Amino acid sequence: MTGCVNSISPQPVTLLRLRAPPSPASRSSFSFSGDSVHSLYRLRRVSRSPSIIAPKFQIVAAEKSEPLKIMISGAPASGKGTQCELITHKYGLVHISAGDLLRAEIASGSENGRRAKEHMEKGQLVPDEIVVMMVKDRLSQSDSEQNGWLLDGYPRSASQATALKGFGFQPDLFIVLEVPEDILIERVVGRRLDPVTGKIYHLKYSPPETEEIAARLTQRFDDTEEKAKLRLKTHNQNVRDVLSMYDDITIKIEGNRSKQEVFAQIDSSLSELLQQRNTAPSSLLS
């Protein structure tokens, strides 16, 4: 062994002195001998092997989960709008409402908006294919793909759900807000609009702050008991049709509670879904 050390030329020793070992343990494991030169060479060769790099790639992939894709349905005055705000605020999802998209497309003068406006001016319902394309285009935008989405009040029929599925859009969860019909009627009939600020009040649950505001409040023409019942009937039929498409991923939330209690139910379901996603890949690495 002594002869071996004496035979080492200055050049290999200089190489060993200049290298930066990966860790203190690796530095102490090498001696200035002929064998150490070969060991260093073997270590460098192994570090380039895909078998060492691959686990790091797998761990990174496992930590990145797919964004949430949620649909929510609720009757008029079910509190759906409030829950959408709470969900998007906490989870950063893109809130997509078919009604808002329709109004925006018409205002922009797009082809879909122009076609939709023609039907609306004739007092006709906007055909499914027009609205479906609007929703499809919005779901396909980069912010929706990267952050996930919350589709509000859509689809409303089995045909619309089928069309979305055909485009490759499948939700992780379908949330249904359930509120007794008599409570919904009371909420609808008592709603009032401030034409100055656009704020919505309720004569019982959220009355106006001053007499001046109360004096100028107006009621929507369709916020009557008769028309509210007709809208509820249509909504209930639509929900039954859609539920058949998403029965295995549907959760029903009791909506006749405070907004905080309702959101707590939704939040629990979404958190559980995320937890399942984050823990499932770990079994692949064990």
Side-chain angles (χ1 to χ4, degrees):
M1 179 64 71
T2 303
C4 181
V5 173
N6 292 335
S7 65
I8 298 177
S9 63
Q11 184 176 359
V13 173
T14 301
L15 286 173
L16 287 171
R17 192 165 54 245
L18 291 174
R19 69 183 179 86
S23 65
S26 301
R27 181 163 58 246
S28 63
S29 64
F30 291 103
S31 60
F32 293 100
S33 66
D35 290 339
S36 69
V37 177
H38 295 295
S39 298
L40 176 62
Y41 177 74
R42 287 196 300 272
L43 178 62
R44 286 175 174 171
R45 289 291 298 273
V46 170
S47 68
R48 295 173 183 171
S49 170
S51 63
I52 301 298
I53 298 174
K56 295 181 181 179
F57 176 79
Q58 291 174 0
I59 292 172
V60 171
E63 291 175 349
K64 181 176 177 58
S65 60
E66 288 292 321
L68 290 174
K69 302 169 184 176
I70 309 299
M71 291 179 177
I72 185 169
S73 175
S78 64
K80 179 167 57 66
T82 298
Q83 295 307 315
C84 285
E85 291 180 4
L86 295 172
I87 294 170
T88 53
H89 177 74
K90 177 167 184 178
Y91 291 93
L93 305 180
V94 177
H95 180 208
I96 301 173
S97 164
D100 291 344
L101 287 179
L102 192 60
R103 286 184 285 272
E105 290 285 340
I106 293 174
S108 69
S110 68
E111 176 61 20
N112 280 332
R114 184 186 61 76
R115 294 174 59 197
K117 187 177 180 180
E118 289 178 357
H119 289 279
M120 295 173 68
E121 288 177 343
K122 296 176 182 177
Q124 302 171 346
L125 293 176
V126 179
D128 278 355
E129 61 267 22
I130 296 178
V131 184
V132 167
M133 290 306 297
M134 291 181 183
V135 174
K136 167 189 170 293
D137 291 344
R138 187 64 186 90
L139 291 174
S140 301
Q141 292 183 18
S142 59
D143 60 341
S144 300
E145 294 181 341
Q146 294 172 8
N147 302 321
W149 42 262
L150 174 66
L151 191 51
D152 176 1
Y154 195 87
R156 296 184 178 182
S157 67
S159 61
Q160 293 172 354
T162 300
L164 286 180
K165 188 174 182 180
F167 287 122
F169 297 107
Q170 179 70 14
D172 302 310
L173 207 61
F174 188 86
I175 301 171
V176 178
L177 298 179
E178 293 191 323
V179 180
E181 184 171 314
D182 59 329
I183 300 297
L184 291 172
I185 296 296
E186 182 184 37
R187 289 180 179 179
V188 169
V189 173
R191 284 194 305 202
R192 296 293 186 273
L193 170 68
D194 183 345
V196 175
T197 64
K199 184 176 179 179
I200 301 294
Y201 291 93
H202 191 280
L203 298 181
K204 178 179 179 181
Y205 301 111
S206 181
E209 296 87 352
T210 66
E211 289 295 329
E212 179 184 357
I213 295 176
R216 67 177 185 238
L217 295 183
T218 61
Q219 184 180 29
R220 278 176 42 171
F221 74 93
D222 55 349
D223 277 354
T224 63
E225 181 172 350
E226 180 182 2
K227 292 185 177 180
K229 287 183 177 180
L230 289 175
R231 288 158 61 194
L232 284 175
K233 182 178 179 180
T234 301
H235 167 78
N236 292 335
Q237 180 59 53
N238 291 340
V239 168
R240 283 194 294 270
D241 292 342
V242 174
L243 282 180
S244 64
M245 301 287 294
Y246 304 118
D247 186 59
D248 57 332
I249 57 170
T250 295
I251 59 167
K252 296 183 178 181
I253 302 296
E254 295 181 36
N256 189 25
R257 300 184 179 185
S258 69
K259 63 180 182 181
Q260 293 84 1
E261 291 175 311
V262 173
F263 180 65
Q265 298 175 69
I266 297 174
D267 188 29
S268 176
S269 297
L270 296 181
S271 297
E272 183 179 353
L273 178 59
L274 285 176
Q275 185 177 11
Q276 290 173 353
R277 285 186 171 184
N278 292 335
T279 56
S282 62
S283 61
L284 300 175
L285 303 176
S286 60

